[in-house]
Amino acid sequence: INICRGLLDEGRSSEHSCIQTDIPAETPALLADELAFRKIISNIIDNGMKFSPDNPEVDVFVRSEAGQGITISIQDYGIGMGPEEIAGALQPFAQVDSSLSRKFQGTGLGLSIAKALMELHGGTLTLESEPEVGTIVQLNFPQDRVRSGEGIEQAEDLQAIG
């Protein structure tokens, strides 16, 4: 998460960052494909920044509860979406605004790729959004992807293996 933050935050210092993180020190290790994980996180943070054009701000919260896996919530305060737009945003090549003169450019693949990669990890990606308020993307990794205590060395050895 911090690597993605550094890459996406345009070299800003942590005091002037538009990406804030809350990752408790006691968060257990997550067994995931490292490149896929970075792709998931960077796609979602990038969307949050893109769709918050005036003073973008993105917050990333990581939470874990024993037996419940790890949840990563990524919240932006941008343009948001209505309920009918959320389903479309999760489809490949879909864009909420498909007009030729749309303000926000992109292929419309970021969320669908992130969702597919989450599913390959046995997890889920869910969206909550409200127009003119912002969007919260929740990434839920199952308990079998969590490594704590004595398994951390093994998790580090296997970090690139899904």
Side-chain angles (χ1 to χ4, degrees), residues 15 19-20 22 24 28 30 36-37 39-41 52 70 76-77 81 88 96 109 143 158:
E15 298 84 42
I19 304 167
Q20 300 302 314
D22 180 4
L30 177 66
F37 183 78
K39 189 68 164 167
I40 293 165
I41 298 298
S52 303
I70 293 179
D76 70 61
Y77 306 91
M81 296 177 277
V96 172
L109 287 171
Q143 181 61 34
L158 297 174

Side-chain angles (χ1 to χ4, degrees), residues 14-146:
S14 59
E15 298 84 42
H16 298 98
S17 174
C18 64
I19 304 167
Q20 300 302 314
T21 59
D22 180 4
I23 307 169
E26 66 276 1
T27 301
L30 177 66
L31 181 61
D33 180 279
E34 183 177 1
L35 293 176
F37 183 78
R38 285 186 189 184
K39 189 68 164 167
I40 293 165
I41 298 298
S42 61
N43 279 350
I44 296 168
I45 292 174
D46 187 50
N47 275 352
M49 293 172 66
K50 182 180 2 178
F51 295 108
S52 303
D54 301 325
N55 303 315
E57 183 180 334
V58 177
D59 296 326
V60 181
F61 305 94
V62 178
R63 298 291 177 261
S64 65
E65 292 185 37
Q68 299 298 312
I70 293 179
T71 298
I72 302 170
S73 300
I74 303 172
Q75 180 172 6
D76 70 61
Y77 306 91
I79 62 172
M81 296 177 277
E84 65 284 350
E85 297 167 321
I86 291 173
L90 291 170
Q91 298 301 313
F93 300 106
Q95 302 219 333
V96 172
D97 178 3
S98 59
S99 68
L100 290 175
S101 62
R102 69 181 187 252
K103 182 176 181 180
F104 305 103
Q105 298 299 312
T107 60
L109 287 171
L111 282 176
S112 64
I113 288 172
K115 183 176 185 280
L117 291 172
M118 283 300 299
E119 290 168 356
L120 287 171
H121 282 85
T124 60
L125 179 152
T126 57
L127 281 174
E128 296 175 33
S129 191
E130 186 175 334
E132 305 307 319
V133 174
T135 301
I136 300 172
V137 178
Q138 286 206 328
L139 307 171
N140 298 295
F141 288 90
Q143 181 61 34
D144 65 354
R145 290 281 176 180
V146 176

